[in-house]
Amino acid sequence: MTVSQRLNGTSYLTFRKELEDRGIVFSYSGYLNEVILSGIGNALRTKMTIDQTDAKVSRAVFSTFVEQVQNVIRYSAETTPPVDEEPLHGVLDDDGEPTILPYGLVVIGEYPDGTRFVTCCNMVRSTDTQKLRNQLDSIRGLDRKELGALMRQQLKDGPPEGSKGAGVGFISMAREANGKWEYDIVESAKDDFDLFCFEAHF
């Protein structure tokens, strides 16, 4: 009797090698919440301690990682249950609200020239894409001092409409990376959705 084997170890070895070749030391793709954020964050801190990463760089990488993952948790348009469906009222979060799990991708690594990177990707609605581009393009090229002044002004003005936080997430990440960041938005196979990726360099 022949037993069909679905597991292909070679494909996982190839996948692992691709991650290594790209300098990726942490990679997570799936549903995210604060517990997963904390777990990956603890491992990231330990890895940087083992590597004797410069304290200033370590703080910047960790702070940006937390901010990026929180952005995915707050704004990913890919969730379970879907955002346009009724939440699962029998499953509640710590605040007693119906649980919604956002889906995203988190990658942390180092380029061959020694530059560290923190990347997060998540689906956004196509109708929000241009607004997102405008928001990011408006802070492109600003230095740390200019970003700090903009952050203080934004905190003074209060969060913009639709924001689920203080409204300074991208400004904060750009400031931590000293203006060394980039983004990309790619059309996806899913109707009405695009994949948004943000990467900060250190």
Side-chain angles (χ1 to χ4, degrees):
M1 179 178 178
T2 302
V3 178
S4 175
Q5 181 172 328
R6 290 177 291 186
L7 172 64
N8 183 348
T10 301
S11 67
Y12 285 102
L13 182 62
T14 301
F15 177 57
R16 185 179 188 275
K17 186 177 186 306
E18 181 181 351
L19 295 179
E20 289 179 339
D21 290 346
R22 295 177 62 178
I24 294 171
V25 294
F26 286 95
S27 176
Y28 176 85
S29 178
Y31 293 104
L32 286 161
N33 59 19
E34 295 291 341
V35 175
I36 294 173
L37 166 59
S38 178
I40 299 176
N42 287 336
L44 174 60
R45 273 182 161 166
T46 301
K47 179 67 167 63
M48 290 191 291
T49 298
I50 292 172
D51 292 344
Q52 297 183 318
T53 304
D54 176 80
K56 187 176 180 180
V57 173
S58 180
R59 284 193 299 271
V61 168
F62 184 78
S63 175
T64 302
F65 157 75
V66 171
E67 188 69 52
Q68 286 212 52
V69 175
Q70 286 179 337
N71 267 3
V72 173
I73 292 173
R74 290 170 180 163
Y75 299 111
S76 176
E78 185 177 13
T79 65
T80 183
V83 291
D84 54 356
E85 290 186 8
E86 193 69 21
L88 301 174
H89 291 283
V91 183
L92 305 180
D93 61 21
D94 292 339
D95 297 321
E97 296 295 326
T99 296
I100 294 179
L101 277 175
Y103 192 101
L105 187 149
V106 184
V107 174
I108 303 167
E110 185 174 323
Y111 284 116
D113 65 1
T115 299
R116 291 177 173 83
F117 61 88
V118 180
T119 311
C120 275
C121 303
N122 60 271
M123 289 294 183
V124 296
R125 292 192 178 278
S126 302
T127 52
D128 295 329
T129 295
Q130 191 56 51
K131 179 182 177 181
L132 192 55
R133 288 186 188 277
N134 293 342
Q135 183 180 1
L136 288 164
D137 289 343
S138 71
I139 63 173
R140 189 191 294 275
L142 299 184
D143 60 26
R144 186 177 179 85
K145 184 177 179 180
E146 292 169 325
L147 289 164
L150 182 60
M151 183 185 298
R152 288 190 294 273
Q153 185 61 48
Q154 182 65 65
L155 290 171
K156 180 181 178 181
D157 294 342
E161 183 180 353
S163 176
K164 298 179 182 179
V168 296
F170 288 128
I171 302 173
S172 175
M173 290 186 289
R175 185 169 179 267
E176 289 288 357
N178 286 315
K180 300 172 184 175
W181 57 273
E182 54 190 79
Y183 78 92
D184 198 7
I185 300 177
V186 184
E187 289 186 12
S188 77
K190 295 187 176 183
D191 291 341
D192 303 322
F193 291 93
D194 295 326
L195 182 68
F196 167 66
C197 299
F198 184 95
E199 181 170 282
H201 303 148
F202 305 92

